[in-house]
Amino acid sequence: MLRAAGVPAPYVLVPHSLGGAYARRFIQLFPEDVSGVVYLDAFYEEWDTHLTGAKTRLQPQPAPGELMLRLVAFLSRGLYRKMFATWPREIGQALIARHATVEWQRAGALERGNLPELRDELKAAGQVPDKPLIALAALGIDTGTKFLMSKRALREMTEGKSRLYQALGASVQGGETRVLPDARHSTIGVDAPDAVLRAIDDLWRRVS
């Protein structure tokens, strides 16, 4: 897509969440096309090394049924309104309308359903080539997650994520981890936009 748009490599990648797996696979396949990465609370294949609890380790996640998908689509409208509040109205409204559908929620659930396989694929492909990176760790708790996990499991997840992203930052020479205690996973770009932009600008200056 970038080549089709006439945007020449190398790129600074800014993956969020599951996008971290895709970014790291892209680096494995096309290392010369990447100059650095800013990870936004993103997938890192060493997750199970640092989050070992029964409620926090990676495991298959079957897609919810139709009724649950309809409920999630309905309840997610508030989240998306907040997420796209500062976007141009015509673009924000179109994104909200698309995201808050059963089809969109089902696609997302299916995409997230095979995280152990993604972890294994990345590890089987060998070491991810070293690229300058800044890892942002969002340690706030998503509203929905609070209803799905006990206080103990939430604490284990927060502590484990802190270790995980410290390890990611230390995985390359000159890597860096920045902890965002109040930013939440799903809304890191909304909760801490200045910190996200600062990390991108800092890494860009470092590699350009």
Side-chain angles (χ1 to χ4, degrees):
M1 289 171 62
L2 289 166
R3 290 195 183 103
V7 181
Y11 311 114
V12 170
L13 304 180
V14 189
H16 168 246
S17 192
L18 183 58
Y22 303 147
R24 292 180 69 74
R25 186 67 181 123
F26 186 89
I27 298 169
Q28 287 176 328
L29 295 171
F30 310 105
E32 68 283 354
D33 285 347
V34 180
S35 57
V37 191
V38 176
Y39 292 96
L40 306 184
D41 214 54
F43 183 95
Y44 177 34
E45 64 272 13
E46 296 300 330
W47 178 280
D48 285 339
T49 302
H50 303 281
L51 291 97
T52 58
K55 293 291 187 179
T56 58
R57 67 174 183 266
L58 294 181
Q59 50 192 322
Q61 301 177 23
E66 185 76 11
L67 181 60
M68 181 59 70
L69 287 172
R70 289 183 180 278
L71 180 61
V72 171
F74 175 75
L75 295 176
S76 67
R77 286 185 175 273
L79 170 67
Y80 293 129
R81 288 193 187 100
K82 178 181 178 183
M83 188 178 297
F84 301 124
T86 61
W87 289 49
R89 179 177 175 81
E90 64 277 10
I91 297 176
Q93 290 297 320
L95 287 169
I96 293 169
R98 177 63 68 179
H99 280 63
T101 63
V102 172
E103 292 76 19
W104 192 280
Q105 294 298 326
R106 181 183 293 109
L110 291 172
E111 190 175 17
R112 295 187 299 270
N114 65 337
L115 297 182
E117 293 180 26
L118 287 176
R119 173 202 60 208
D120 295 344
E121 180 181 348
L122 282 166
K123 289 191 172 185
Q127 185 175 356
V128 176
D130 284 3
K131 297 293 176 181
L133 70 85
I134 297 176
L136 298 187
L139 299 187
I141 305 299
D142 284 2
T143 302
T145 305
K146 293 179 181 179
F147 298 104
L148 300 174
M149 301 175 69
S150 67
K151 290 184 178 179
R152 178 181 177 180
L154 289 172
R155 183 173 63 254
E156 290 176 351
M157 183 177 70
T158 300
E159 293 171 351
K161 283 180 61 178
S162 182
R163 294 191 297 269
L164 175 74
Y165 291 116
Q166 291 293 344
L168 176 57
S171 67
V172 303
Q173 185 174 3
E176 181 183 351
T177 300
R178 299 181 184 181
V179 176
L180 307 178
D182 300 320
R184 293 160 293 182
H185 173 78
S186 295
T187 52
I188 182 173
V190 174
D191 297 337
D194 292 341
V196 171
L197 290 174
R198 189 178 307 115
I200 295 171
D201 185 62
D202 289 348
L203 189 66
W204 177 260
R205 292 174 183 273
R206 190 185 306 171
V207 301
S208 61

